[in-house]
């Protein structure tokens, strides 16, 4: 953010610098501002870092959500299978009682 602020300050100060300069100096200044703009557009390290940090945090949040979701699914299936085993056990006991 600091780089972006400084860049915008420099670009906004262009008018003030160019008022008292000769034509040659104005051309040189325009060239330097062009180089500054090119460099700024190529060097977006801070913005890329912020974007990377944001995407990383989104990924961590999604992983945490998935882990919670996975725990819920495991618990659901565990309960369902336990209930099925209990039902099968009751059926087997009924069948055993009928046989005896």
């Amino acid at each position: 953010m600091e780089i972006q602020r400084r860049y915008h300050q420099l670009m906004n100060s262009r008018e003030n610098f160019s008022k008292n300069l000769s034509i040659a100096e104005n051309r040189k200044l325009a060239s330097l501002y062009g180089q500054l703009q090119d460099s700024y557009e190529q060097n977006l390290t801070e913005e890329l870092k912020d974007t990377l940090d944001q995407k990383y945090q989104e990924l961590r949040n999604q992983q945490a959500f998935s882990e919670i979701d996975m725990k819920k699914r495991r618990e659901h299936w565990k309960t369902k299978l336990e209930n099925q085993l209990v039902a099968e056990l009751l059926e087997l006991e009924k069948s055993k009682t009928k046989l005896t």
Side-chain angles (χ1 to χ4, degrees):
M1 292 309 225
E2 181 64 22
I3 293 170
Q4 189 175 20
R5 186 183 62 77
R6 286 184 183 175
Y7 168 76
H8 289 295
Q9 282 178 337
L10 284 171
M11 294 306 281
N12 291 337
S13 67
R14 184 178 186 172
E15 293 267 334
N16 293 336
F17 287 125
S18 63
K19 287 180 183 176
N20 299 322
L21 299 177
S22 67
I23 293 173
E25 290 172 323
N26 263 327
R27 287 184 184 154
K28 177 71 174 172
L29 184 63
S31 173
L32 291 173
Y33 274 105
Q35 291 173 9
L36 174 64
Q37 186 170 356
D38 287 342
S39 295
Y40 177 75
E41 289 171 357
Q42 291 175 12
N43 186 11
L44 300 174
T45 305
E46 192 167 331
E47 288 181 33
L48 292 172
K49 179 190 169 293
D50 291 344
T51 302
L52 179 63
D53 288 343
Q54 179 185 0
K55 296 296 181 186
Y56 175 77
Q57 190 58 45
E58 289 174 11
L59 176 63
R60 295 299 297 154
N61 291 342
Q62 186 63 40
Q63 286 176 334
F65 179 75
S66 293
E67 287 174 9
I68 291 170
D69 200 36
M70 180 62 78
K71 287 178 184 176
K72 287 181 182 178
R73 280 186 265 160
R74 283 184 184 147
E75 199 59 41
H76 167 77
W77 282 106
K78 180 182 173 187
T79 304
K80 185 174 182 175
L81 292 173
E82 285 174 348
N83 290 340
Q84 286 177 348
L85 286 173
V86 168
E88 288 178 19
L89 182 61
L90 290 174
E91 287 296 320
L92 287 172
E93 287 178 357
K94 284 181 187 178
S95 297
K96 181 181 175 183
T97 305
K98 286 180 183 178
L99 287 173
T100 55

